[in-house]
Amino acid sequence: MARPPFAVEAYLPPFLPSIPPAEGALTVLSANLRNPFFPPNRERRAATLARLEAFARLVEAERADVLLCQEVGRTRDFRVDNWLAERLGLGRVYARVNVRVTSIGREEGVAVFSRYPLTDPIVLPLTATRRLWRRAALGVSVRAPWGEVMVYTTHHSLRPWRNRRQPARLRRWVAATAEGRPALVGGDFNADEDAPQMADLSSTAVDSWPWIDTFRALHPSAGGATHELRLFGRVWRRRLDYLFLRPGRPELRVTGCRHVMSSDIPFSDHGAVVVRLQPVHL
């Protein structure tokens, strides 16, 4: 039987994570991992492993509890999600988005990794196409020690006419699936923060809970670029990666947020977004 589009797989380790948790806090990291198996990005295995190791060390340095990842690549003999889950000792849920490893030898998906139990994964298709360049969001419930929180990882289209519709669709889905629980939504939105579809995320027209841009909440005037493109001797820097909080119960307070890169070799052409949250009534 053929696997359906956006098939979901879960892995829960039988051992404790190697990263000690911060007392009472929840640290969430969102990152585009730059799929090494997509032809324009194709690289030798040693280079892929070096980038992933740099990312793993960044995760450990930030003491992240939950990872929201995009462009998670797979081939027939190597799976980025498996490697990271085993390297960091975290549970993971992976959703295939583009192509299929069993048909052309490679595929790409989105994934959530966590030190805490993961349950009830759900997937939202963000594009109608059945060809390459599909986009999707993955949602999972995380059972933290002080309560349940929904987390979502999403990767939006490069094509403007598709991208314009995707944030509102994502927001309606998050409202319907998170319900009264707090939700953290991270990913590569492929849109500048002043784009209308991004500005609408903080309105109450779609959802009575406006989304909080965790970086802007603490850094209202900082530059905030997360992606760098070098072409023909020029450099373009843009903010494409975000981590939003949709409030709920238990109530969470944003205590820190920053954009980070690995300190030795770049793990991606995107920076990671790291947010720290604290339960208000712990």
Side-chain angles (χ1 to χ4, degrees), residues 80-129:
V80 168
D81 55 305
N82 285 5
W83 189 94
L84 283 173
E86 292 172 7
R87 166 65 176 79
L88 294 167
L90 301 176
R92 67 107 173 99
V93 175
Y94 167 87
R96 176 173 52 81
V97 177
N98 271 315
V99 297
R100 184 176 296 147
V101 72
T102 54
S103 59
I104 68 169
R106 59 180 173 84
E107 69 181 49
E108 176 184 302
V110 290
V112 173
F113 302 81
S114 174
R115 72 166 68 257
Y116 302 122
L118 298 169
T119 61
D120 305 321
I122 47 176
V123 176
L124 171 70
L126 289 168
T127 52
T129 179

